[in-house]
Amino acid sequence: MKSPVSLCTGVTYDRSSIQHWLDSGHDTCPATMQVLSSKDFVPNLTLHRLINLWSSKAPTKSPALAPAVSEEKVRVWIEEIKSGKIEMCLDSIVEFVSCGELSRRFLVSFDDFLEAIVGVLNTNCDQIRVLESVIRVLSSILLENGVREKLHKLVFISNSNCLPSFISVLRNGSVEYNIACVTVLESVTMNNQSKQFVAGTQDVLPVLVQLLKTENDHQDLNEAVMSFLISVSITRSIKTRLAQLGLVGALSNMLLSQNAAVSVVEKSLKVLSIICTCADGRSAISVDPICAGAIVERLMKVSKTATEDAVVVLWSMCCLFRDEKAQEKVARSNGVAKVLLVMQSEVGEGNVRMMCSDLIKVLRLGCKNGGGHGGMVSYETKTTHIMPC
């Protein structure tokens, strides 16, 4: 496996293999033959880390064979970190946390270890190898009990100048460490205040959007970045900034890519459904030459939730805000037929069915009036279930 993901049945598969199975028309779990209630994937992060360690020839010893490290030795490590001599012990720490759950649990039992290791990120360290190793250690211990909460306090209260180090890794680190960095960032931004702080930092959003534009073949990285963007897009100003940074263009390319994993496509639709609630987001979708058509193309080819997200975007653009450019692009992409298919499927229920009905009225009315322009003034939708922020 290179990219392990779990189905709703709890069984883990390699992403490409299970995607091929589902794309071939199957709706069951190959191992259990249960009918899938959802075709959504959940990345198996723990297994993914173990695979990366094995493939990079890192130590893969069982906890029983882990190198013996005493409490005194950990105290020495902590003092070396605090005194600025982290390079003396960093390789040993990375090896130790790679040995298994018992090793990680033992290490994080020292409260001042977390404080010391996070403090490295607060020292304006310019050695990318050191920063990458610190991020690797943090990503390895994230799942240990209470670590996320402690890291949240350390990053945003005790060491509020950590973000430049995260940004340095995102700019200069390898893809593997980019993923780890985004994962740690998302894990520690646990409330609205921290999310606004991270998103409001000058360079965080630009570097993440740039990663989506330049590293679009790395599915795991794309998925990690979009999960983070979904998490932090909680205010109009954040959504506006994402639109101004050119996020819509990057998402459109992913929707059209034949190589994009379904999970990446679905997260792209989720992000679009979020940013279309702000004026700059709608404007970016409107002027993008491929976005509306790419959304139509993905209808009924993704999960129920993602199809709902796609319908929300189309309805917002074409019905709620009456964007004539979007109406024309949707109509030219065989939008009426695709929306009718959604209505006739199990997705077309409740609010989704109402939005589809509105879309068909708008698109048919536009066709009768010469391409989606003349008749729109007289159309008044009664649908009020979704309103912009």
Side-chain angles (χ1 to χ4, degrees), residues 8 17 22 43 58-59 71 93 96 124 133 151 155 166-167 170 189 204 225 230 243-244 271 280 283 295 319 328:
C8 59
S17 299
L22 296 175
E71 180 176 338
I93 296 173
F96 187 62
N124 295 318
S133 296
L151 287 178
V155 170
F166 282 100
I167 293 169
L170 290 171
T189 50
V204 172
V225 170
I230 291 169
Q244 293 172 345
V271 176
D280 284 87
S283 177
I295 294 172
C319 302
E328 184 176 355

Side-chain angles (χ1 to χ4, degrees), residues 11-253:
V11 182
T12 297
Y13 302 93
D14 185 56
R15 184 191 299 275
S16 61
S17 299
I18 190 61
Q19 189 61 62
H20 177 72
W21 170 266
L22 296 175
D23 288 346
S24 299
H26 300 286
D27 61 354
T28 57
C29 173
T32 66
M33 295 312 294
Q34 289 177 259
V35 176
L36 299 173
S37 59
S38 168
K39 294 184 180 180
D40 293 340
F41 298 147
V42 177
N44 190 326
L45 299 179
T46 301
L47 183 56
H48 190 271
R49 281 200 300 270
L50 291 173
I51 291 171
N52 284 337
L53 290 172
W54 177 81
S55 61
S56 62
K57 298 183 180 180
T60 55
K61 302 173 184 177
S62 67
L65 299 177
V69 173
S70 64
E71 180 176 338
E72 181 181 355
K73 183 62 174 178
V74 176
R75 292 293 180 193
V76 171
W77 287 347
I78 293 171
E79 289 305 313
E80 288 176 341
I81 296 171
K82 289 182 176 180
S83 62
K85 301 175 182 177
I86 188 172
E87 289 187 80
M88 295 178 61
C89 61
L90 193 55
D91 289 342
S92 297
I93 296 173
V94 170
E95 179 183 1
F96 187 62
V97 298
S98 302
C99 289
E101 183 179 353
L102 292 180
S103 299
R104 294 190 291 271
R105 190 178 301 165
F106 176 68
L107 198 57
V108 300
S109 67
F110 295 82
D111 289 336
D112 46 352
F113 171 76
L114 280 176
E115 183 178 352
I117 200 77
V118 172
V120 176
L121 302 177
N122 201 38
T123 59
N124 295 318
C125 176
D126 58 359
Q127 299 183 57
I128 190 64
R129 189 190 77 83
V130 171
L131 294 178
E132 285 183 335
S133 296
V134 169
I135 293 297
R136 181 174 182 174
V137 171
L138 293 179
S139 66
S140 297
I141 62 178
L142 271 177
L143 299 180
E144 300 305 319
N145 188 38
V147 167
R148 288 183 60 210
E149 292 76 9
K150 292 176 183 178
L151 287 178
H152 169 80
K153 293 179 181 178
L154 288 169
V155 170
F156 294 107
I157 299 176
S158 305
N159 299 274
S160 58
N161 195 38
C162 288
L163 288 184
S165 293
F166 282 100
I167 293 169
S168 180
V169 173
L170 290 171
R171 282 179 171 160
N172 305 306
S174 65
V175 171
E176 176 188 354
Y177 291 106
N178 288 162
I179 296 171
C181 192
V182 176
T183 301
V184 173
L185 267 179
E186 183 179 358
S187 295
V188 300
T189 50
M190 299 177 64
N191 56 31
N192 287 350
Q193 184 177 2
S194 58
K195 290 176 181 179
Q196 292 183 61
F197 178 78
V198 172
T201 301
Q202 184 174 1
D203 293 328
V204 172
L205 295 184
V207 74
L208 290 176
V209 173
Q210 187 61 30
L211 283 174
L212 290 179
K213 292 179 179 179
T214 58
E215 303 288 350
N216 49 27
D217 288 334
H218 296 281
Q219 304 297 322
D220 289 334
L221 177 58
N222 292 337
E223 189 168 353
V225 170
M226 284 192 283
S227 291
F228 176 80
L229 295 181
I230 291 169
S231 174
V232 301
S233 298
I234 58 174
T235 66
R236 183 184 302 177
S237 61
I238 295 173
K239 300 170 191 176
T240 296
R241 191 160 185 233
L242 287 173
Q244 293 172 345
L245 288 169
L247 179 60
V248 169
L251 298 178
S252 299
N253 289 331

